Amino acid sequence: MRNFFGSILIIIFVLASFFALRNDLLPVWQKVQSFASTFIGVKGAHDSTSSATPLETIPTAAPIGAKQDSSSKTIVPKVSTPGPLKVSESHLALTDATPLIGSEIIADTNIARKTEAKLPPLTENAKLDMSASAKVDDMFAKQYFEHVSPSGKGVTDLATDVSYAYVVIGENLALGNFASSPAGVDAWMARPGHRANILNKRYTEIGVSAKEGMYQGNKVWLAVQHFGRPLDSCPAVDMTLKTSIETQKANLDILFRDLETRRKEIESIDQNGGEYDQKVQEYNALRLSYQASYTDVNALIQKYNAEVKAFNSCIAG
């Protein structure tokens, strides 16, 4: 009789130990499944309960006016090119035109910005001076007066040619013989589109070129204003951080697959043996390592997302 009750106690102890281990392991598997769902979300199938934005949705911030990442979505650049300003035919025939001077055009443009809208002055940029000069030369050489050349080249192409990376860019054109440089700026200010360019608060830099030459049989002046805001005025996005995140995500993927392999192995082991206990302990330790790494990667993703958000806000204005 004593042996019978002893056997019963041993059976109860074994069952209790078994369920204790099962109760310890099952929450682990449930947590791993939860981590798996979140990890997949980080990879692209975003879990709405996760606080991290999927990294793959981030590269919409490729620099405008610079080489684009082929995997990125391109933000359409802000370009303003109002219709070219051309004076009357009678003015084209004038032979005693006053020279247009680039520095005076810039000074009068800044006066207009201050008096009309209380805007800060534009800073002359050497690259924009070069792109404006190239535009004047091209119009004289090809005998056209448009924002886009016969070969299809516009202000964005001219900016790229001189390596001017920009957030926004604009162009004003004028053709004719003017009484003075201020008169040329006044003529632009009298036209809504050109006026909007001059008074655009997003511009911080300007380049100007004014030259005299032959256009359709008349000796005239061509003037070009190029407005811009440089790309480096926006907060930078740390692309090395993005690379680090991608590397760590790849390592997490490997670690997760290892967890899945170990879980399946544990399911096939006799739960009454000592090997089962050892495998469970190893599995739990690996799961904790996975959780810690995942938390670290999530923090880096949030940091990267914040940088991208700030950059995109700057681009959008």
Side-chain angles (χ1 to χ4, degrees):
M1 193 68 173
R2 180 179 299 173
N3 290 337
F4 174 75
F5 283 114
S7 298
I8 292 297
L9 288 174
I10 290 172
I11 292 173
I12 292 174
F13 176 77
V14 170
L15 288 176
S17 300
F18 167 73
F19 283 111
L21 284 173
R22 292 290 293 179
N23 289 337
D24 176 69
L25 183 60
L26 285 175
V28 169
W29 289 342
Q30 292 168 355
K31 288 180 181 179
V32 170
Q33 292 303 310
S34 174
F35 294 155
S37 175
T38 307
F39 182 63
I40 292 170
V42 174
K43 290 173 66 177
H46 183 52
D47 183 351
S48 61
T49 62
S50 175
S51 60
T53 303
L55 185 64
E56 283 73 13
T57 66
I58 294 306
T60 59
I64 293 172
K67 186 176 180 181
Q68 307 263 340
D69 183 345
S70 60
S71 65
S72 302
K73 297 179 181 178
T74 304
I75 299 176
V76 178
K78 305 288 186 179
V79 182
S80 179
T81 52
L85 172 64
K86 185 175 181 179
V87 300
S88 65
E89 293 297 325
S90 61
H91 284 79
L92 294 178
L94 292 177
T95 57
D96 58 346
T98 301
L100 297 178
I101 302 172
S103 59
E104 292 183 2
I105 291 174
I106 292 175
D108 286 296
T109 296
N110 282 332
I111 290 173
R113 284 172 61 87
K114 181 178 180 180
T115 57
E116 296 289 334
K118 297 182 179 179
L119 293 172
L122 300 172
T123 301
E124 184 174 6
N125 180 280
K127 290 182 177 180
L128 290 179
D129 281 339
M130 287 191 290
S131 63
S133 178
K135 180 65 175 179
V136 171
D137 292 342
D138 194 56
M139 288 191 292
F140 273 131
K142 298 175 182 175
Q143 292 292 288
Y144 72 96
F145 185 56
E146 300 291 341
H147 289 291
V148 179
S149 74
S151 61
K153 205 166 190 176
V155 63
T156 58
D157 303 297
L158 294 170
T160 299
D161 288 346
V162 297
S163 300
Y164 183 79
Y166 57 87
V167 175
V168 288
I169 198 163
E171 179 179 75
N172 279 352
L173 306 179
L175 181 155
N177 293 311
F178 299 90
S180 64
S181 297
V185 175
D186 289 342
W188 273 321
M189 287 293 290
R191 299 277 292 273
H194 302 85
R195 177 186 177 89
N197 257 349
I198 291 174
L199 301 182
N200 190 323
K201 65 181 181 180
R202 297 201 67 199
Y203 296 140
T204 59
E205 298 180 335
I206 187 173
V208 170
S209 180
K211 301 179 184 180
E212 189 179 38
M214 296 301 296
Y215 177 76
Q216 295 182 354
N218 294 304
K219 192 174 184 180
V220 298
W221 283 83
L222 280 175
V224 175
Q225 288 178 312
H226 277 176
F227 306 92
R229 178 177 178 179
L231 183 65
D232 59 15
S233 66
C234 288
V237 176
D238 186 355
M239 300 310 294
T240 60
L241 177 59
K242 178 178 181 291
T243 301
S244 175
I245 290 171
E246 295 289 1
T247 299
Q248 293 185 57
K249 284 171 60 183
N251 292 335
L252 271 177
D253 203 9
I254 294 172
L255 185 56
F256 175 73
R257 288 197 296 269
D258 189 15
L259 276 170
E260 284 291 280
T261 299
R262 289 171 181 267
R263 180 180 64 81
K264 292 176 182 178
E265 182 183 3
I266 290 173
E267 289 177 340
S268 65
I269 295 176
D270 181 2
Q271 298 172 1
N272 293 323
E275 182 184 10
Y276 177 82
D277 295 343
Q278 181 182 348
K279 294 292 185 181
V280 168
Q281 291 176 2
E282 292 173 353
Y283 179 87
N284 286 342
L286 187 63
R287 180 194 63 82
L288 291 175
S289 176
Y290 174 90
Q291 182 181 11
S293 297
Y294 172 77
T295 300
D296 291 342
V297 173
N298 251 358
L300 293 179
I301 290 175
Q302 290 173 3
K303 179 182 178 182
Y304 178 78
N305 289 350
E307 291 181 357
V308 170
K309 182 178 180 181
F311 178 84
N312 285 339
S313 296
C314 180
I315 293 292

